[in-house]
Amino acid sequence: MAKLQNQLLSLKETQALIESGQLLLIAGSQSLLDQLPAGQWLGGTTPYFMSNEGAQKDLNRLFVSNLSDLALKAEIKSYSAQELEQLLADRPENGFSYIALPAFSEVHKAYALEIGQYDTLYDQPILGWITGRQLEADPSHLPAAYYGPKAEKMKNRAVLMHVELPESQYAEIEIYNPYEEGKGDDIQFLSTDFQATEALINGEKQNFAHYCKAKGIDGSLPLISDYSGALINTTIQRIEEDRVYFYAPVSVDQVYHLAQAVDYSPQAFRKEMPNSPAITACNCIVNYLNFKLDGEQLGNYEGPFTFGEVGYMLLNQTLVLLHIQNY
């Protein structure tokens, strides 16, 4: 099986790879991505990476995953918020699709809210991430995805690389959630949205922001719901006076519990982490911060720290792994 090359590269090294016709996934700061030439690549904004040097922020290099030896063939396309059904239909029969969505764009919100309604969602693997920015950056620096064939920066379109694999191989997605569901109050929301004012707490309607403050909930732990046996996190972005904002939508159809308290240390994150070799990976920026992962080796998993993860549906505070298996 071909091994994917994951590397932190300089701008010049990355430009040379693109110009040589390589098939690439690229993550980095907007100032560097803006300088890349057109070619067979997909890009997204984040300066935070897992690499063989350890987890780190790097504003001067790009994280590059080279799929050239892996793909039988590949196609890179972009999609609007109204083209989710086509996005799914374009996936290869045998392979995977890698997606980059700009944070809080119309297409990010549409994917998060609507993708679960399509019966074909789980027919072929789709994974990827929500693009962000340096945490200290000015809010005017909007996250972006990059459509490499035209070296085009996109702030309101999804970019996908559809990768076809040889018949002897297949793609598999694995997700690692470092949190466990707590046994506290049942929380149900009255609408499916990225924000909430009221919620049903054990069946009783309350202002959710007031509830969080009364319970000492500060957003460091996610809400967890059970999707047919898969525990899915929803990260609290911020708690305002009367309203709570989330990094993924809460669903009216789910019952949520606050996650159990965890030991926020690198050892705790690694304790239950899978050890199967992965082709590439993405990990939530909240995990990087909360578990104090800066400088830490995370097994052999390499890829960007992201502002939301995609493992079919939108995920939060999750490590997503791509495996290529032989039949």
Side-chain angles (χ1 to χ4, degrees), residues 226-265:
D226 187 328
Y227 282 77
S228 303
L231 296 181
I232 302 299
N233 301 331
T234 300
T235 302
I236 296 172
Q237 182 192 9
R238 67 185 189 275
I239 301 167
E240 295 191 347
E241 186 176 347
D242 294 309
R243 191 180 301 267
V244 178
Y245 293 84
F246 307 96
Y247 279 112
V250 290
S251 171
V252 70
D253 297 324
Q254 294 295 127
V255 177
Y256 294 83
H257 297 95
L258 190 68
Q260 289 184 28
V262 296
D263 169 25
Y264 274 134
S265 69

Side-chain angles (χ1 to χ4, degrees), residues 119-235:
D119 294 337
T120 60
L121 175 60
Y122 295 97
D123 288 358
Q124 291 94 19
I126 180 168
L127 78 154
W129 53 286
I130 310 304
T131 71
R133 58 175 180 242
Q134 184 184 359
L135 295 171
E136 301 84 1
D138 187 276
S140 64
H141 292 210
L142 293 177
Y146 285 74
Y147 174 68
K150 292 187 177 179
E152 190 174 349
K153 176 163 54 182
M154 297 187 161
K155 295 183 177 177
N156 198 28
R157 290 178 73 86
V159 180
L160 274 87
M161 182 183 288
H162 301 292
V163 178
E164 186 174 333
L165 294 172
E167 288 183 5
S168 60
Q169 297 178 334
Y170 65 96
E172 193 172 67
I173 295 171
E174 183 177 13
I175 66 171
Y176 166 54
N177 185 348
Y179 297 92
E180 294 183 9
E181 192 172 20
K183 295 180 169 47
D185 295 332
D186 288 355
I187 303 168
Q188 294 173 276
F189 293 96
L190 306 180
S191 61
T192 299
D193 204 346
F194 280 81
Q195 55 181 281
T197 49
E198 293 181 319
L200 297 176
I201 310 298
N202 299 325
E204 180 186 337
K205 188 185 291 188
Q206 296 186 34
N207 180 282
F208 190 57
H210 298 173
Y211 168 80
C212 288
K213 290 168 186 173
K215 289 287 187 176
I217 296 170
D218 61 4
S220 60
L221 293 170
L223 299 177
I224 297 184
S225 55
D226 187 328
Y227 282 77
S228 303
L231 296 181
I232 302 299
N233 301 331
T234 300
T235 302

Side-chain angles (χ1 to χ4, degrees), residues 70-101:
L70 191 72
L72 187 64
K73 61 181 181 181
E75 183 177 28
I76 303 168
K77 301 181 77 171
S78 75
Y79 301 85
S80 71
Q82 290 73 44
E83 296 174 315
L84 297 181
E85 190 169 13
Q86 188 62 48
L87 176 159
L88 294 176
D90 287 346
R91 290 175 296 173
E93 281 191 26
N94 183 53
F96 63 92
S97 294
Y98 194 96
I99 187 170
L101 295 146

Side-chain angles (χ1 to χ4, degrees), residues 7-11 14 26-28 32-33 36 61-64:
Q7 296 175 287
L8 276 170
L9 299 177
S10 69
L11 177 61
T14 308
I26 305 175
L32 294 178
L33 289 165
L36 297 179
R61 291 184 293 176
L62 297 136
F63 189 91
V64 181

